Amino acid sequence: MSEHTREAMEYDVVIVGAGPAGLSAAIRLKQLDADLDVVVLEKGSEVGAHILSGAVLDPCGLDALIPDWKDKGAPLNVPVTDDAFYMLGEAGKIRVPNWPMPPLMSNHGNYIVSMGNVCRWMAEQAEELGVEIFPGMACSEIVYGDAGEVKGVVAGEFGKNADGTPGPGYEPGMELHGKYVFLGEGVRGSLSKEVIEKFDLSKGKEPQKFGLGMKEIWEIDPAKHKEGSVTHTMGWPLGSNAGGGSFIYHLDNNQVYVGFVVHLNYENPHLYPYMEFQRFKHHPMVAALLEGGKRVAYGARAISEGGYQSMPKMVAPGVALLGCSVGMVNVPRIKGNHNAMLSGKAAAEAAFAAMKDGRASDELTDYETDVRDGAIGEDLKKVRNVKPMWSKRGLMASLVFGGMDMWTNTFGFSAFGTLGHGKTDAEATGEAAKFKPIAYPKPDGKLSFDRLTNVSFSATNHEESQPAHLQLKDASVPVSINLPKYAGPSARYCPAGVYEFVKDDKGDDKFVINFQNCVHCKTCDIKDPSQNINWTVPQGGDGPNYPNM
């Protein structure tokens, strides 16, 4: 680095990620002290570009952060009007009644939103308060201080050649230092992963669990559209092959979010999550809704599902983990954005109090206490056993006993205590020889689509001359271990067709990484059975550019 010296800028708080957690933290800091210097760094080309979440939003986070959000024009325009839960068979369905469900499962008072648009609006509120927001600034490195504390991050490194060496237009990036650094990167962020490992923050906690969420936006026949309607399904097509389910949310403008989640602890390496999603749309109930409509966008991302017992320690010297960097999704509710906002607010308040006392670069223990003992912890404790029950005992046991547990937790106790998860999702992958391959129908191009066609609807783009941001720890592992032992699962678990096995000129197997297709879901980093793939940030604002998600 001697010939490429980095400049440094000093801030009170440096925030990585312009999602709901990072923006909430920035807003709250400036609400508490308008003179604080706060910067938010976003790897997407613009705020919201990498936000894949057609969500049902519990507004409690916004209520706490910006009580007059309605008057300020927050894009929460579609209140939920009705809930429906179905158990699907291949050709039929059974509606699960709402009355036996715990109160926490009700969507009354919630809104169907584009979280990308919500974050764009939140960014406007932050900038009005004086927060500096820099999109297109991927944070590639942690900067550590002399005592090993997190001092800042490196952002904006551009111009590397494909082999990682500096190119003719190389820019080394800038160091942004803060009294505190907040990491709000979302699920399995590369800097958060480094910090968790370096400071052993997961010690004594259950392993984090994940799901793969895939979503399409459809414009449908106005006669079929029911603005505010929310539908969730379980069962077919996954059956006993994997946990998961679907969501169908009717927003405005005759648009529908159609989503499908596959829990990544599935055993059969032949499972093809993307094709399960495509097959789901051919169920008579779903096909009747979508026929005559058109898909206008596609995307995918991992979802943290471990819950309360999987949350790592959230603080280390100089740094705090926010939102999905910790894992704050309420799995049965399929909601985490409200907790992300509350976590950002809590971290901001802890940092403000610390700086007011003249502290810097220490552990914000008050933030950890607030999360675990406050509203976020209360939300997640009530549902902590649903995921492990589903994983270990199956869907029906989860519905019956998980529902009972949520009811008893509503009154402050659980007959089951706190259940563990056991294996990581990578460790859960079984050997291919022990499972039967799964035959999937060919996409028809009307309701179902091949991966590469759908990826084109994510507007993802990566400069091909840059180094691949998907790195192999050992280049021989995919062909020597993963292909013969696990039937090369990366060719299937990736929802963007990044990985493939091809034959070279000699007829030997070769592993190819088409990193240009990557939609930044992080599934490969999570599910690879050999844990041989490391997801890192690409240069600039590369990646998906979700238009209305």
Side-chain angles (χ1 to χ4, degrees):
M1 285 301 298
S2 58
E3 56 185 298
H4 299 290
T5 303
R6 288 187 177 125
E7 296 181 6
M9 295 182 66
E10 302 293 330
Y11 289 89
D12 290 306
V13 180
V14 175
I15 301 171
V16 179
L23 290 170
S24 294
I27 289 168
R28 186 59 180 151
L29 283 164
K30 296 295 278 188
Q31 288 175 339
L32 292 167
D33 186 348
D35 294 327
L36 288 174
D37 291 322
V38 181
V39 64
V40 178
L41 304 164
E42 166 57 36
K43 68 181 174 69
S45 59
E46 63 171 323
V47 173
H50 290 179
I51 301 290
L52 173 68
S53 183
V56 172
L57 177 65
D58 181 339
C60 66
L62 272 183
D63 290 340
L65 184 69
I66 308 174
D68 58 345
W69 55 264
K70 287 185 179 180
D71 296 334
K72 291 182 178 292
L76 280 68
N77 304 316
V78 182
V80 175
T81 57
D82 66 273
D83 269 324
F85 297 84
Y86 290 97
M87 183 70 69
L88 299 186
E90 186 169 359
K93 63 184 187 293
I94 298 174
R95 181 162 182 174
V96 180
N98 292 54
W99 61 263
M101 296 184 184
L104 64 89
M105 294 296 289
S106 172
N107 275 313
H108 178 73
N110 297 333
Y111 294 82
I112 300 173
V113 301
S114 158
M115 280 309 298
N117 288 342
V118 171
C119 288
R120 292 180 182 102
W121 175 82
M122 292 180 70
E124 292 173 0
Q125 309 310 303
E127 288 179 324
E128 287 179 6
L129 293 171
V131 175
E132 295 182 43
I133 301 178
F134 298 135
M137 294 287 279
C139 297
S140 53
E141 296 179 36
I142 294 280
V143 178
Y144 296 98
D146 294 338
E149 79 281 9
V150 173
K151 180 180 178 181
V153 296
V154 174
E157 187 176 21
F158 297 96
K160 283 186 175 181
N161 294 319
D163 63 0
T165 60
Y170 177 71
E171 298 178 23
M174 180 175 290
E175 291 190 6
L176 294 99
H177 300 162
K179 295 173 183 174
Y180 294 99
V181 175
F182 292 170
L183 299 181
E185 301 171 287
V187 176
R188 199 75 164 195
S190 54
L191 301 187
S192 302
K193 182 179 172 183
E194 177 182 331
V195 165
I196 290 170
E197 291 177 355
K198 178 178 176 62
F199 294 101
D200 201 14
L201 301 184
S202 289
K203 183 179 180 180
K205 311 296 182 184
E206 286 294 311
Q208 186 59 265
K209 306 294 284 184
F210 300 91
L212 169 59
M214 298 157 284
K215 190 188 74 179
E216 295 170 356
I217 297 179
W218 281 71
E219 292 179 357
I220 65 169
D221 181 346
K224 302 176 183 178
H225 187 253
K226 299 178 181 179
E227 184 173 308
S229 177
V230 167
T231 298
H232 293 99
T233 78
M234 297 166 286
W236 190 88
L238 291 173
S240 60
N241 285 322
S246 81
F247 58 85
I248 301 173
Y249 302 153
H250 291 243
L251 59 161
D252 49 7
N253 300 318
N254 298 316
Q255 288 192 330
V256 176
Y257 294 128
V258 182
F260 197 79
V261 178
V262 177
H263 299 171
L264 289 177
N265 61 352
Y266 61 83
E267 295 181 346
N268 187 346
H270 300 291
L271 187 81
Y272 196 161
Y274 175 83
M275 290 306 298
E276 296 285 354
F277 175 31
Q278 298 307 302
R279 182 160 61 169
F280 158 75
K281 290 181 292 176
H282 286 273
H283 187 277
M285 181 185 78
V286 185
L289 176 70
L290 300 181
E291 283 171 349
K294 64 176 181 178
R295 162 220 46 187
V296 296
Y298 165 75
R301 60 163 290 181
I303 304 166
S304 57
E305 295 185 338
Y308 188 81
Q309 56 269 57
S310 295
M311 293 194 299
K313 183 180 177 184
M314 300 163 213
V315 295
V319 65
L321 306 179
L322 312 182
C324 281
S325 293
V326 175
M328 298 181 181
V329 172
N330 184 313
V331 173
R333 296 184 75 199
I334 320 180
K335 291 178 181 64
N337 288 304
H338 63 299
N339 285 335
M341 293 177 184
L342 292 172
S343 76
K345 178 177 178 289
E349 291 169 350
F352 168 73
M355 291 184 288
K356 189 177 179 180
D357 290 342
R359 292 159 46 201
S361 299
D362 59 351
E363 293 191 4
L364 294 172
T365 54
D366 287 350
Y367 164 59
E368 177 110 13
T369 300
D370 191 323
V371 170
R372 294 194 184 275
D373 297 341
I376 298 172
E378 182 180 355
D379 184 47
L380 297 180
K381 283 179 184 176
K382 292 178 182 178
V383 301
R384 66 189 182 277
N385 291 323
V386 173
K387 171 68 176 180
M389 282 181 179
W390 195 338
S391 300
K392 296 178 180 179
R393 302 298 180 188
L395 174 58
M396 295 309 298
S398 175
L399 286 174
V400 175
F401 296 107
M404 290 172 51
D405 194 54
M406 285 190 286
W407 265 112
T408 59
N409 270 287
T410 301
F411 301 108
F413 71 95
S414 171
F416 299 99
T418 298
L419 302 178
H421 294 300
K423 298 177 180 178
T424 67
D425 292 334
E427 292 168 342
T429 310
E431 296 183 15
K434 298 179 181 179
F435 298 89
K436 293 181 179 180
I438 303 172
Y440 291 97
K442 184 178 179 180
D444 67 357
K446 297 177 181 179
L447 292 178
S448 51
F449 313 96
D450 66 83
R451 276 187 300 188
L452 296 186
T453 298
N454 241 356
V455 167
S456 70
F457 281 78
S458 70
T460 196
N461 179 66
H462 296 83
E463 174 57 52
E464 295 187 20
S465 63
Q466 70 178 291
H469 64 283
L470 302 162
Q471 301 170 354
L472 299 180
K473 299 174 184 177
D474 184 336
S476 69
V477 164
V479 171
S480 65
I481 297 177
N482 286 357
L483 185 58
K485 189 173 183 179
Y486 303 103
S490 58
R492 291 176 295 282
Y493 61 56
C494 173
V498 169
Y499 305 101
E500 59 180 331
F501 292 86
V502 300
K503 297 290 186 181
D504 62 18
D505 294 339
K506 299 179 180 179
D508 295 327
D509 291 305
K510 179 182 178 182
F511 188 58
V512 176
I513 302 177
N514 304 299
F515 72 88
Q516 299 89 344
N517 295 353
C518 181
V519 294
H520 297 195
C521 73
K522 324 282 181 60
T523 299
C524 55
D525 195 299
I526 296 163
K527 184 59 176 173
D528 183 72
S530 300
Q531 285 295 274
N532 190 50
I533 300 174
N534 185 40
W535 190 97
T536 63
V537 292
Q539 294 180 164
D542 287 2
N545 196 345
Y546 297 127
N548 184 33
M549 292 187 165

